């Protein structure tokens, strides 16, 4: 399967990946027009900073054994057997947030506006060029690579 | 090989899926007493008319056909012959198996209170059938009484409030959801429910129910002397593992079906998973147990080690809470309790010698999944030179160089 591979030494914390993610999920927007103030502006990836370790990019791994899928009681989260990616069907989601509790890496979060859905990386599955965050990274700290399951 | 699974909820379905994914040639038969597959955690959405029966299913429409699984619905298992390796159904079929998975869950329990069991308008809130019966009552009832303010009772209450009923919740302890919350976080929910019309009677219990001439409970009498009128009564006072049919089969049980770490019972070829094992009454654990039991039935040896069950999330009226571990320690446990709050959030961390024992995060619960790992694995956080409330997965950041998956650096 394809996974976003992280080279954290290269990350300089510019947060272009955050903006790209928000823009990718705001229909018709681009880097210059994206409304960062919108209540719906939510990033699916995070960069944490630590004084000793530097920048720590936190991106959904679409895990081999996804705890979020195992905890989902509505069938909204499923691991696609072909792509290996964990897909989210908002219409099925009951917003119980067991997935938020069970993601060991703290990647998942409720939407801040309504608390009726989960904000989760969809690997920009609908974009021909792949994940927008990867395209936006000027340091090539994140790259899509094929990994064996 | 033929595998028979009794029960079509989290554990049963997860086991069937696992079997059909790893060894598609295995014959799988699922027997369930319900005629639908549904998520019981969404019953309140059905009762509240937010979703229909199909909307609370957690499998694809054509799940059984497309995965080649035989489903005997509306079928109750009433007996088990471990020597002949057959199960007997209510309609007198003997169904043979090579391996059997018992995933029959739990059923609710009506306490022996005078008048309560006899009342025809008393319902549990466990299966779609319960919710359908309640749904009918809600069309005409005005006063609803919920006995028990745990998660199930609160689910029932929120749905009936949605339907416009006057809802009174009676609870023995001093706060709602006392297994998941502390006083302060419980108060926040109680207030939200009250704003939506609910009434709570805490620190009290039902002593008797007056039954009218047609057999319906009409007035509920409490230990305090209060009397509450009721057109419909929901009992949410706990559940018990459901395994009547194993009597005489030789399977070891106490209050639940006893299994080893491989989820096998004392009898070869018979496994159990989910609520019926009494290990953990929550969805994620049942799913995982179903998966592991399935893998073991196929001849592998995988152990169920994720026994940690003191965890839950709550979401009512958009107020979200994560609750993990020991959140209400006794004074003699000598725990350190740290709290932080602002207008929208309440956070509490219980520490003992630098190890997190429990947390409550109410409000913004985004990114809080790492807490469970810390508690489950008894990680000492005292060496990390920062405020405990600013911890995140980043403090334990590590990656597998080959797969790019995350790990914990502790």
């Amino acid at each position: 399967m394809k996974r976003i591979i992280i080279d954290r030494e290269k990350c300089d914390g510019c947060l272009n990946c955050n903006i790209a993610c928000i823009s990718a999920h705001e229909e018709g927007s681009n880097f210059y027009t994206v409304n960062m103030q919108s209540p719906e502006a939510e990033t699916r990836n995070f960069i944490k900073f630590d004084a000793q370790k530097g920048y720590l990019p936190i991106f959904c791994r679409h895990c081999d054994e996804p705890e979020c899928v195992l905890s989902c009681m509505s069938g909204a989260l499923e691991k696609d057997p072909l792509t290996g990616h964990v897909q989210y069907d908002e219409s099925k989601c009951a917003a119980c947030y067991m997935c938020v509790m069970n993601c060991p890496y703290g990647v998942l979060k409720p939407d801040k506006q309504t608390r009726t859905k989960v904000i989760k990386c969809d690997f920009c599955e609908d974009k021909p060029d792949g994940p927008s965050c990867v395209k936006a990274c000027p340091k090539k700290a994140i790259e899509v690579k094929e990994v064996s399951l | 090989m033929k595998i028979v699974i009794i029960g079509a909820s989290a554990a049963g379905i997860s086991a069937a899926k696992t079997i059909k994914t790893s060894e598609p040639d295995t014959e799988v038969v699922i027997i369930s007493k319900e005629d639908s597959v549904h998520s019981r955690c969404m019953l309140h959405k059905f009762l509240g008319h937010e979703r229909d029966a199909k909307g609370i299913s957690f499998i694809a429409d054509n799940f059984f056909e497309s995965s080649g699984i035989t489903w005997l619905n509306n079928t109750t298992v009433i007996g088990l012959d471990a020597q002949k390796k057959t199960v007997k159904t209510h309609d007198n079929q003997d169904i043979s198996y090579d391996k059997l998975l018992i995933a029959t869950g739990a059923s609710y329990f009506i306490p022996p209170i005078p008048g309560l069991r006899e009342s025809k308008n008393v319902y549990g809130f466990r299966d779609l059938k319960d919710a359908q019966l309640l749904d009918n009552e809600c069309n005409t009832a005005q006063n609803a009484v919920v006995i028990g303010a745990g998660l199930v009772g609160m689910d029932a209450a929120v749905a009936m409030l949605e339907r416009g009923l006057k809802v009174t919740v009676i609870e023995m302890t001093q706060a709602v959801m006392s297994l998941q919350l502390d006083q302060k976080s419980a108060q926040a929910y109680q207030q939200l429910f009250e704003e939506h019309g609910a009434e709570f009677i805490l620190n009290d219990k039902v002593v008797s129910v007056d039954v009218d001439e047609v057999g319906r409970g009409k007035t509920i009498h409490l230990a305090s002397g209060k009397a509450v009128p009721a057109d419909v009564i929901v009992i949410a006072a706990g559940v018990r593992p459901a395994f009547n049919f194993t009597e005489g089969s030789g399977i070891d049980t106490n209050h639940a079906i006893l299994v080893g770490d491989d989820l096998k019972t004392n009898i070869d070829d018979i496994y159990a998973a989910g609520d019926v094992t009494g290990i953990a009454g929550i969805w994620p654990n049942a799913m995982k147990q179903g998966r592991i039991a399935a893998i073991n039935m196929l001849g592998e040896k995988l152990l169920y080690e994720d026994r940690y069950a003191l965890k839950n999330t709550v979401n009512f009226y958009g107020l979200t809470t994560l609750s993990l571990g020991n959140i209400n320690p006794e004074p003699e446990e000598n725990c350190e309790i740290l709290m932080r709050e602002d207008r929208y959030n309440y956070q509490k961390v219980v520490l003992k010698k630098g190890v997190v024992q429990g947390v409550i995060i109410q409000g913004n619960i985004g990114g809080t999944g790492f807490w469970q790992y810390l508690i489950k694995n008894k990680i000492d956080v005292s060496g990390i030179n920062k405020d405990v409330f600013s911890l995140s997965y980043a403090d334990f950041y590590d990656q597998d160089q080959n797969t790019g998956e995350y790990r914990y650096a502790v």
Side-chain angles (χ1 to χ4, degrees), chain A residues 56-104:
Chain A
L56 301 161
I58 298 179
F59 285 65
C60 177
R61 303 288 76 204
H62 296 271
C63 296
D64 294 352
E65 296 272 336
E67 288 283 347
C68 57
V69 174
L70 273 177
S71 64
C72 182
M73 56 86 167
S74 68
L77 287 164
E78 293 268 9
K79 190 168 172 76
D80 187 307
L82 293 175
T83 64
H85 295 145
V86 174
Q87 293 175 330
Y88 171 61
D89 181 347
E90 193 185 308
S91 68
K92 285 188 185 167
C93 178
C96 73
Y97 299 131
M98 284 277 182
C99 56
V100 172
M101 172 178 83
N102 266 19
C103 171

Side-chain angles (χ1 to χ4, degrees), chain B residues 366-407:
Chain B
T368 53
F370 72 97
W371 285 108
Q372 187 184 164
Y373 188 94
L374 301 187
I375 296 174
K376 229 160 50 174
N377 296 288
K378 304 188 170 66
I379 310 292
D380 187 342
V381 298
S382 59
I384 303 169
N385 189 22
K386 66 160 72 160
D387 177 356
V388 69
F389 294 107
S390 24
L391 290 176
S392 76
Y393 167 66
D395 297 298
F396 312 94
Y397 194 93
D398 191 23
Q399 290 181 74
D400 182 308
Q401 290 312 316
N402 298 319
T403 63
E405 289 217 272
Y406 288 137
R407 293 185 300 217

Side-chain angles (χ1 to χ4, degrees), chain B residues 78 300 333 393:
Chain B
I78 54 165
E300 303 276 320
E333 292 180 74
Y393 167 66

Side-chain angles (χ1 to χ4, degrees), chain B residues 138 141-143 157-167 196:
Chain B
C138 285
Q142 284 171 351
N143 295 304
V158 83
M160 292 190 294
L161 286 168
E162 200 61 37
R163 294 287 294 278
L165 275 73
K166 166 93 186 68
V167 178
H196 287 83

Side-chain angles (χ1 to χ4, degrees), chain A residues 20-32:
Chain A
C21 182
I22 293 167
S23 172
H25 296 88
E26 185 191 309
E27 191 99 30
S29 76
N30 61 41
F31 188 89
Y32 301 99

